[in-house]
Amino acid sequence: MKKIKTLLFYYDDFSNFEVACTAFQFHDGLITAALEQRPFKSEENMVMIPHKTLDEINPAEIDLFVIPGGNPTSLFENATLRSFLTAVADRGGVVAGICGGTGLMAAMGLLKGKKCTGNSAGIGPDWKWGYPLFSESIITNESAVVVDGNMVTSQGRAFLEMSLRLNDVMGMYSSEEERQQDLDWWMGGN
């Protein structure tokens, strides 16, 4: 598999389990980053220290930016993060969000006119802080992972499916057989 420069974004109370498969799949080119250089506690009560801060990274070098779930509402107005994400997306880099991470994508304006999903099991009016953010998006919950151009959104329950779809999007598989072998491995098969 080819090496993809992947940035996994940390913030307070992010959901580590939702991105663990993706981190494993893209570990050869993985950088963890946050807005500050300090420990971050995940929802699972794990303490994670990012490799770098966003201001230490050139967004032109990032192929894939991954936003974990959680509640990133405190970041919705962050200009540094908005600038970085926009730079990655504008040059064709893939931005992926899962669960609450899709709300951050919407708040940053990345999902305007785009098909998307998110939250735990789909975007709906019951998602109090997230639903209004998607007023300019095309919400679809028919698939647990939605790809629209260089934007990938996922429901929280689809963490393995998101990882495999990101491999597809990033051109990691040379054949359907290779993809099936990967899925079989994850599912405990041969």
Side-chain angles (χ1 to χ4, degrees):
M1 289 191 186
K2 65 183 179 179
K3 187 174 181 178
I4 304 293
K5 190 83 167 217
T6 304
L7 190 153
L8 175 57
F9 187 68
Y10 289 170
Y11 59 92
D12 288 317
D13 295 320
F14 72 96
S15 183
N16 185 56
F17 86 91
E18 291 176 341
V19 292
C21 297
T22 298
F24 178 76
Q25 292 285 87
F26 293 92
H27 71 274
D28 284 339
L30 184 69
I31 301 166
T32 57
L35 291 167
E36 303 171 78
Q37 185 60 51
R38 64 174 175 83
F40 288 84
K41 188 179 76 158
S42 71
E43 283 183 337
E44 301 86 2
N45 204 28
M46 296 173 63
V47 176
M48 315 290 260
I49 300 172
H51 294 111
K52 297 182 177 198
T53 60
L54 287 186
D55 61 359
E56 297 175 299
I57 302 168
N58 180 352
E61 296 176 359
I62 301 302
D63 301 311
L64 172 61
F65 190 109
V66 180
I67 305 168
N71 183 348
T73 55
S74 65
L75 301 171
F76 283 1
E77 301 297 322
N78 189 285
T80 300
L81 181 57
R82 181 182 307 272
S83 176
F84 195 95
L85 282 168
T86 301
V88 171
D90 285 352
R91 59 165 272 288
V94 174
V95 178
I98 186 167
C99 198
T102 63
L104 182 58
M105 291 172 70
M108 295 287 150
L110 297 173
L111 298 178
K112 287 181 182 175
K114 300 277 188 182
K115 291 180 186 175
C116 61
T117 191
N119 204 1
S120 299
I123 299 169
D126 60 326
W127 192 16
K128 293 180 181 30
W129 65 263
Y131 188 71
L133 296 170
F134 296 90
S135 64
E136 297 183 55
S137 304
I138 304 163
I139 298 171
T140 178
N141 295 316
E142 294 171 14
S143 178
V145 179
V146 175
V147 178
D148 190 340
N150 61 338
M151 298 294 127
V152 178
T153 54
S154 178
Q155 297 169 11
R157 63 188 171 101
F159 51 91
L160 177 57
E161 185 179 345
M162 182 181 90
S163 176
L164 296 173
R165 286 295 300 277
L166 286 173
N167 277 318
D168 289 334
V169 169
M170 301 308 294
M172 299 288 283
Y173 298 122
S174 60
S175 67
E176 182 57 36
E177 181 182 6
E178 187 177 3
R179 184 185 197 284
Q180 188 60 49
Q181 288 172 346
D182 204 13
L183 177 60
D184 290 346
W185 184 86
W186 279 106
M187 300 307 291
N190 296 324

